[in-house]
Amino acid sequence: MKFKAIVCDLDGTLLNTEHTISKNTIDTIKKITDQGVKFFIATGRHHADALRFKDMLGLDSYLISSNGARIHDENNNIIFRDDIPQELSNEIFNTEIDPEIHKDVYLEDNWFLEIPLEEAHDYHKESGFTYTVTDFSKLHGKEIIKFFYIHNDEKKISKLEKELLEKFGDRTNVTLSLPICLEVMNKDVSKGHAITNVLMPQLGLKKEEIIAFGDGLNDYEMLKSVGEGVLMGNCNPRLKELLPNNKVAKPNSEDGVAEYLKKIFL
C-alpha cells in the first residue's frame, strides 16, 4: 500500500549538510503532496525556526516542534502544548552543570542562553531564528518548553545525560537530538506521542498509513509509532542499535529522504 502521510525530522534528516533543503528534495516532496499525501515536519527545533522549512516546502499540514512539546495546525494555531512545570523547571535551572556546557531554553517564542554560541548560527542561517543572551535567574518560575545543552565533546554530553536521567528521568524525557546536543522536555513529550495522540486521531490516520524518517535518539519514539520508521544512513549508532531491523535510507548528504520516497511514490 502507498502511505497517506510522511513525517520527517529536520536536522540530519530532511536538511542537508548545509542545514537547508535541496532543490531535489523540495521538488520531490511537491510531486508527492500533489498526489494528496500529507507531509509533516517533526523536529526538536522551535516552531518559529521550523516554520521557515514548512514554508519552503509549501506545506498545508500540522507542524510538530520542540520534540512534540508544541503542535501547530495548518493555519499556524497552537493545538497542543506540554511545558515543563514551574517547580520542575526551577529544579533543572538550579542543577549544577559543567560550566563549559552551553545551557539553552525555549520559553514561549524565545530561545535563551547565558553565553553566546556563535556556531549555532550555522544551523539557523536559513530561518534567521536566533537566541537572546540572558541571566537564567530571570527565567525562574516560568514554564519551559525545552532545556537543551550543547558541547562538542560528546563525552561531556554523555556524562550529563546520565546525571540528568538519574535525577529527573522519572519526570522528564531526556534525549539526544545530536551526539553533542542533549534535550530535556516534560515527561510524556516526544514526537511519537504527538503522532499517536494528536495526528492520528485528529486526522483519521492509522499507524500503518504513516512512514517516518529520523536520525537521532529524539526520533526513536516516532520511528516506533508508525507503519514504517526509516533510519538515515548517517543516524546515531545508538538509534541503529535500538532499531536494528528498521530500513535505512541514504545519508542526508545524499538527499536520503527524497531518494527513498521516489521509490515509493514516483
Side-chain angles (χ1 to χ4, degrees), residues 81-94:
R81 60 188 298 156
D82 188 352
D83 295 345
I84 300 172
Q86 295 176 7
E87 184 176 341
L88 178 54
S89 68
N90 282 350
E91 287 186 53
I92 298 173
F93 273 126
N94 291 328

Side-chain angles (χ1 to χ4, degrees), residues 22-41:
S22 72
K23 184 178 186 302
N24 174 39
T25 298
I26 292 173
D27 291 345
T28 299
I29 292 171
K30 177 69 164 57
K31 290 175 182 177
I32 294 170
T33 54
D34 281 348
Q35 297 177 17
V37 178
K38 282 291 186 181
F39 192 99
F40 303 95
I41 289 171

Side-chain angles (χ1 to χ4, degrees), residues 22-226:
S22 72
K23 184 178 186 302
N24 174 39
T25 298
I26 292 173
D27 291 345
T28 299
I29 292 171
K30 177 69 164 57
K31 290 175 182 177
I32 294 170
T33 54
D34 281 348
Q35 297 177 17
V37 178
K38 282 291 186 181
F39 192 99
F40 303 95
I41 289 171
T43 179
R45 290 186 183 226
H46 191 283
H47 169 257
D49 194 3
L51 192 59
R52 164 60 180 157
F53 300 103
K54 178 182 174 180
D55 291 342
M56 284 178 69
L57 294 169
L59 299 178
D60 177 21
S61 60
Y62 287 12
L63 194 160
I64 300 168
S65 60
S66 297
N67 290 322
R70 288 285 188 280
I71 304 176
H72 288 70
D73 67 11
E74 303 96 327
N75 300 311
N76 207 29
N77 299 310
I78 294 178
I79 59 171
F80 178 85
R81 60 188 298 156
D82 188 352
D83 295 345
I84 300 172
Q86 295 176 7
E87 184 176 341
L88 178 54
S89 68
N90 282 350
E91 287 186 53
I92 298 173
F93 273 126
N94 291 328
T95 299
E96 188 173 339
I97 304 293
D98 184 330
E100 293 185 3
I101 295 176
H102 282 270
K103 299 179 284 293
D104 305 62
V105 299
Y106 285 164
L107 171 61
E108 293 299 339
D109 294 331
N110 302 294
W111 167 18
F112 293 113
L113 50 73
E114 289 187 306
I115 301 172
L117 183 61
E118 291 305 313
E119 52 263 43
H121 293 303
D122 291 337
Y123 282 83
H124 305 276
K125 60 185 178 183
E126 186 69 65
S127 68
F129 184 67
T130 191
Y131 56 75
T132 299
V133 176
T134 192
D135 180 351
F136 275 9
S137 65
K138 297 178 181 179
L139 307 182
H140 287 210
K142 305 285 188 181
E143 292 187 348
I144 300 300
I145 300 174
K146 181 180 82 169
F147 288 85
F148 56 112
Y149 307 91
I150 301 171
H151 197 284
N152 287 327
D153 186 341
E154 294 180 22
K155 291 181 179 179
K156 283 183 178 289
I157 293 296
S158 180
K159 180 175 181 290
L160 178 60
E161 178 187 16
K162 292 176 182 176
E163 292 171 352
L164 294 183
L165 279 170
E166 184 176 332
K167 190 167 185 179
F168 302 111
D170 61 335
R171 292 180 289 164
T172 63
N173 179 9
V174 180
T175 188
L176 290 163
S177 57
L178 297 168
I180 62 168
C181 184
L182 182 68
E183 314 205 335
V184 181
M185 290 74 59
N186 207 20
K187 181 174 176 56
D188 294 324
V189 168
S190 73
K191 298 177 184 181
H193 183 274
I195 292 169
T196 301
N197 293 277
V198 180
L199 256 63
M200 288 172 59
Q202 290 201 15
L203 301 177
L205 291 168
K206 299 176 182 178
K207 174 179 179 178
E208 58 269 21
E209 295 173 332
I210 306 172
I211 182 172
F213 296 83
D215 73 301
L217 290 174
N218 63 326
D219 297 313
Y220 172 69
E221 295 90 348
M222 173 176 75
L223 297 173
K224 281 188 62 181
S225 68
V226 298

